[in-house]
């Protein structure tokens, strides 16, 4: 995970510190989720990361996994307040939801019979004053 963070910080050199830290934190969470919840965590698994300006003033981070072991990424919605207080897992996407302008996921290949080939999870961030 340290390599992911170091590469992102290098790619974001020249941008404001707040943006760099926010994107790095969200990327760490998305990569960790890919490794833990998909085939990317298996021997030979891969996680791909892309970073680009999707539209003027908007930076998009995309993390692509090797295919699902489970369902599509989502924030747990069936927890009570007490369950949230004691939960040791399931807060990562909630954090991404709070830090990103918007986020989502889509299948790498948009055909139903290819659903297991991978998922791209993306998050967008507003570019601010520290922009290059």
């Amino acid at each position: 995970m340290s390599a992911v963070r170091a590469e992102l910080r290098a790619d974001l050199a020249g941008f404001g510190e707040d943006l760099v830290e926010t994107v790095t934190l969200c990327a760490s969470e998305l990569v960790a989720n890919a490794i833990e919840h998909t085939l990317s965590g298996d021997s030979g698994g891969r996680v791909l990361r892309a970073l680009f300006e999707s539209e003027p003033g908007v930076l998009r981070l995309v993390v692509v996994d090797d295919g699902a072991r489970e369902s599509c990424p989502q924030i747990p919605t069936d927890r009570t307040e007490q369950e949230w207080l004691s939960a040791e897992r399931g807060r990562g996407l909630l954090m991404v939801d709070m830090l990103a302008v918007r986020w989502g996921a889509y299948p790498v290949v948009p055909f139903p019979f290819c659903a297991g080939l991978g998922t791209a999870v993306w998050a967008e961030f507003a570019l601010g004053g520290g922009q290059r």
Side-chain angles (χ1 to χ4, degrees), residues 37-58:
H37 299 292
T38 75
L39 298 174
S40 294
D42 293 352
S43 178
R46 299 162 298 168
V47 177
L48 304 174
R49 188 258 311 162
L51 191 63
F52 58 94
E53 194 171 355
S54 60
E55 59 187 79
V58 178

Side-chain angles (χ1 to χ4, degrees), residues 114-127:
C114 297
L117 295 179
T119 300
V121 182
W122 57 271
E124 290 183 333
F125 308 89
L127 294 173

Side-chain angles (χ1 to χ4, degrees), residues 2-81:
S2 61
V4 170
R5 290 189 286 268
E7 289 172 4
L8 265 170
R9 286 189 176 102
D11 289 348
L12 293 168
F15 286 92
E17 174 119 7
D18 285 346
L19 176 68
V20 172
E21 291 305 314
T22 298
V23 173
T24 301
L25 182 60
C26 289
S28 295
E29 180 57 38
L30 297 180
V31 169
N33 280 354
I35 291 168
E36 186 168 339
H37 299 292
T38 75
L39 298 174
S40 294
D42 293 352
S43 178
R46 299 162 298 168
V47 177
L48 304 174
R49 188 258 311 162
L51 191 63
F52 58 94
E53 194 171 355
S54 60
E55 59 187 79
V58 178
L59 184 67
R60 180 176 274 208
L61 165 70
V62 182
V63 173
V64 181
D65 64 50
D66 266 349
R69 279 191 214 128
E70 300 173 14
S71 61
C72 186
Q74 60 187 4
I75 296 171
T77 57
D78 57 348
R79 290 184 179 166
T80 66
E81 184 176 340

